[in-house]
Amino acid sequence: KYKRNPATGDALTMKDLLPLRWHKNSDGDFHCPITFKVFTNHSHIVAIRTSGNVFSYDAISELNFKNKNWLDLLTGEAFKRSDVLTLQDPNKVEKRNIETFAYVKEGLVAEVVDDKETTTDAAT
């Protein structure tokens, strides 16, 4: 609606967005496909820009960074260290403070659409 990054206020287009490939376990919880650790509010989560795959930082650190292995752990697709995007870092709480986000500072409100309200009941 605003065509701006909600955190920084910079211009944002659809080309700037990246589809991410999250993995779920049998309980429906998101987890790292390598370590099988379930993601929580305290997990360090990263994604690989070239593949869109989401991993725990621990997996990437141990299996990619330390071994200088620059291939995606699931697809084998090559990437550079700059392609590793941090999605959540529990050690950097200042980045999670929404009071610093541009849309909060400027008082912008995003429209929330509830899928449950937009679906129709076949019985009616």
Side-chain angles (χ1 to χ4, degrees):
K1 179 176 178 179
Y2 298 107
K3 296 184 171 108
R4 295 174 47 201
N5 181 319
T8 64
D10 295 341
L12 185 68
T13 66
M14 288 300 288
K15 290 181 181 181
D16 297 326
L17 301 177
L18 172 72
L20 297 178
R21 291 183 183 88
W22 294 83
H23 296 84
K24 285 187 178 182
N25 62 19
S26 58
D27 294 331
D29 298 323
F30 292 107
H31 70 94
C32 174
I34 301 302
T35 65
F36 295 101
K37 289 182 184 176
V38 173
F39 295 139
T40 68
N41 287 337
H42 307 287
S43 301
H44 191 166
I45 305 170
V46 297
I48 308 297
R49 182 186 315 267
T50 55
S51 68
N53 286 320
V54 177
F55 301 99
S56 68
Y57 178 80
D58 295 339
I60 297 298
S61 176
E62 288 295 319
L63 300 172
N64 291 106
F65 295 161
K66 287 187 180 178
N67 296 321
K68 297 186 182 352
N69 171 25
W70 303 110
L71 299 175
D72 185 286
L73 297 171
L74 292 178
T75 64
E77 192 173 342
F79 69 92
K80 298 179 267 182
R81 189 176 186 116
S82 60
D83 291 326
V84 178
L85 309 171
T86 297
L87 303 179
Q88 175 178 290
D89 186 352
N91 298 319
K92 294 188 178 176
V93 246
E94 66 276 2
K95 291 201 174 214
R96 296 177 83 178
N97 181 4
I98 64 167
E99 297 299 320
T100 63
F101 285 20
Y103 79 96
V104 173
K105 287 181 180 178
E106 296 172 15
L108 301 175
V109 178
E111 182 179 328
V112 178
V113 177
D114 186 1
D115 289 336
K116 293 177 187 172
E117 291 179 13
T118 59
T119 58
T120 57
D121 188 2
T124 58

